């Protein structure tokens, strides 16, 4: 038994005749439209994000300074004259001189290359090693996942800064940029591995992986061709923000006297040597600290912008 309900006043609905809205026109797909993907949608979102534009401008400028320091200064950062010790700013010496009589502006410019190189190289090693270990653990599961997860837990229990200090204290015979990079990567890959594992666990059960397996694709081929590319977004987000952390960590180790050798020009080393002049001439400490803070902030802003672009929920809001 059916009953007909008449709508209340103001609740009437208009249904257009089928002739006016044919199903073919409603449900048709534009075959001429360009193919889209997660990365294309992310780039389209990034181009409209002011946070990404500002951070990208800062990072491009910092990279240009690191690659071409002679464009900004023709002074030698290691040329120091004690007669110029703690002299204030003057024409040609915009930031003045430090305690050893070195030009602070030249050291800030040339220190960009060292600090940026340490951050980028450490991030690359961490993302590659941690991402691969986490992806293998999450995809194959079983005893492989159990073994790799226990190794990750062991390293995760060691604080990054404390572990780096202990290892560097054990090997104090020589100091180089690669030593600092490898030590930081030794304890920094675990966070990437945990994120990659959880992302792969979510991705490997999707339909495209099942279809690829049904078509005869091997597990290794599925992992590297289908699963990892689709599980890469959270790893890239964390890697981008971690780059700023590694730049700050290198400066911290240099500040503690465990980082790069004194012959290397770095912001952390300059901050360490400037602490004795904090009360008499605080600007000696301010300039390398400001360069470090701006660089770290630029990469953190970039990580936030990338995170928003790769999050489907934020794009739909």
């Amino acid at each position: 038994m059916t009953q007909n309900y008449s709508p209340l006043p103001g609740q009437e609905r208009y249904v257009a005749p089928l002739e006016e809205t044919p199903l073919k026109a409603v449900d048709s797909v534009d075959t001429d439209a360009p193919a889209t993907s997660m990365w294309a949608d992310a780039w389209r979102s990034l181009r409209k994000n002011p946070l990404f534009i500002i951070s990208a401008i800062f990072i491009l400028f910092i990279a240009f300074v690191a690659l071409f320091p002679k464009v900004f200064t023709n002074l030698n950062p290691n040329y120091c004259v004690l007669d110029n010790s703690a002299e204030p700013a003057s024409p040609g010496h915009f930031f003045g001189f430090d305690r050893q009589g070195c030009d602070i502006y030249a050291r800030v410019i040339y220190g960009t290359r060292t600090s940026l190189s340490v951050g980028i190289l450490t991030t690359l090693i961490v993302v590659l090693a941690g991402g691969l270990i986490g992806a293998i653990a999450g995809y194959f599961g079983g005893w492989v996942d159990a073994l790799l997860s226990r190794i990750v837990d062991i390293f995760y229990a060691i604080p990054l800064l404390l572990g780096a200090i202990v290892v560097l204290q054990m090997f104090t015979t020589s100091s180089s940029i690669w030593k600092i990079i490898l030590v930081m990567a030794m304890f920094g890959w675990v966070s990437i591995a945990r994120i990659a594992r959880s992302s792969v666990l979510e991705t490997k059960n999707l339909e495209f992986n099942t279809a690829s397996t049904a078509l005869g694709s091997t597990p290794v081929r599925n992992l590297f061709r289908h699963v990892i590319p689709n599980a890469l977004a959270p790893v890239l987000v964390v890697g981008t923000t971690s780059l700023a952390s590694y730049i700050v960590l290198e400066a911290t180790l240099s500040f503690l006297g465990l980082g790069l050798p004194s012959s290397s020009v770095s912001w952390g080393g300059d901050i360490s040597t400037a602490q004795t002049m904090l009360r008499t001439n605080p600007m000696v400490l301010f300039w390398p600290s400001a360069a470090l803070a701006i660089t770290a902030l630029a990469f953190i802003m970039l990580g936030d912008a990338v995170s928003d672009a790769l999050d489907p929920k934020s794009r739909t809001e």
Side-chain angles (χ1 to χ4, degrees):
M1 180 178 179
T2 59
Q3 296 179 355
N4 295 326
Y5 296 95
S6 57
L8 297 176
Q11 295 183 347
E12 297 84 358
R13 296 182 180 180
Y14 172 76
V15 179
L18 183 62
E19 294 77 9
E20 297 183 8
T21 56
L23 293 178
K24 183 177 180 181
V26 174
D27 298 338
S28 62
V29 178
D30 186 6
T31 57
D32 297 330
T36 184
S37 65
M38 178 185 68
W39 302 107
D41 292 339
W43 173 242
R44 193 178 300 110
S45 175
L46 282 174
R47 289 183 299 178
K48 301 177 182 178
N49 190 343
L51 190 66
F52 170 75
I53 297 174
I54 295 173
S55 61
I57 292 174
F58 272 108
I59 291 174
L60 289 176
F61 176 75
I62 294 169
F64 185 81
V65 172
L67 292 174
F68 308 103
K70 292 185 178 180
V71 174
F72 300 90
T73 180
N74 56 0
L75 299 175
N76 185 351
N78 291 318
Y79 179 73
C80 307
V81 180
L82 287 177
D83 292 339
N84 296 327
S85 178
E87 287 292 325
S90 60
H93 307 282
F94 307 111
F95 298 162
F97 297 87
D98 61 11
R99 188 174 184 180
Q100 301 297 324
C102 306
D103 186 82
I104 299 175
Y105 174 74
R107 293 188 67 85
V108 169
I109 294 297
Y110 277 87
T112 307
R113 175 181 296 178
T114 304
S115 299
L116 196 63
S117 299
V118 170
I120 291 176
L121 292 175
T122 304
T123 302
L124 288 176
I125 296 175
V126 164
V127 169
L128 291 176
L132 182 60
I133 293 174
I136 292 175
Y139 186 78
F140 291 101
W143 67 269
V144 176
D145 184 19
L147 176 61
L148 294 178
S149 296
R150 298 297 77 77
I151 296 175
V152 169
D153 292 339
I154 293 172
F155 279 89
Y156 195 77
I158 304 174
L160 178 57
L161 179 59
L162 179 60
I165 291 175
V166 171
V167 174
L168 290 174
Q169 285 282 20
M170 294 171 58
F171 302 97
T172 57
T173 55
S174 62
S175 182
S176 65
I177 186 173
W178 282 107
K179 178 182 175 181
I180 303 300
I181 291 171
L182 293 177
V183 168
M184 291 194 299
M186 181 187 302
F187 298 99
W189 62 273
V190 288
S191 58
I192 297 292
R194 291 165 67 95
I195 292 172
R197 176 182 177 274
S198 61
S199 183
V200 167
L201 283 174
E202 181 182 357
T203 305
K204 73 174 185 179
N205 295 320
L206 297 179
E207 290 80 2
F208 66 84
N209 187 46
T210 305
S212 179
T213 303
L215 292 174
S217 180
T218 62
V220 176
R221 179 182 174 86
N222 283 345
L223 174 62
F224 287 97
R225 183 156 186 176
H226 301 293
V227 176
I228 289 181
N230 286 278
L232 201 58
V235 175
L236 291 180
V237 172
V238 176
T240 305
T241 54
S242 297
L243 196 152
S245 301
Y246 295 129
I247 294 176
V248 175
L249 179 60
E250 181 274 324
T252 304
L253 294 173
S254 298
F255 178 81
L256 297 174
L258 299 172
L260 299 174
S262 57
S263 58
S264 299
V265 182
S266 69
W267 294 332
D270 290 346
I271 293 172
S272 178
T273 57
Q275 61 178 325
T276 58
M277 304 181 63
L278 180 59
R279 292 187 178 182
T280 58
N281 192 359
M283 298 306 294
V284 176
L285 180 64
F286 172 78
W287 296 115
S289 301
L292 177 64
I294 292 173
T295 303
L297 179 62
F299 281 103
I300 292 174
M301 292 168 57
L302 179 64
D304 291 341
V306 173
S307 176
D308 294 338
L310 293 176
D311 185 7
K313 295 180 180 179
S314 65
R315 291 201 301 266
T316 56
E317 293 177 354

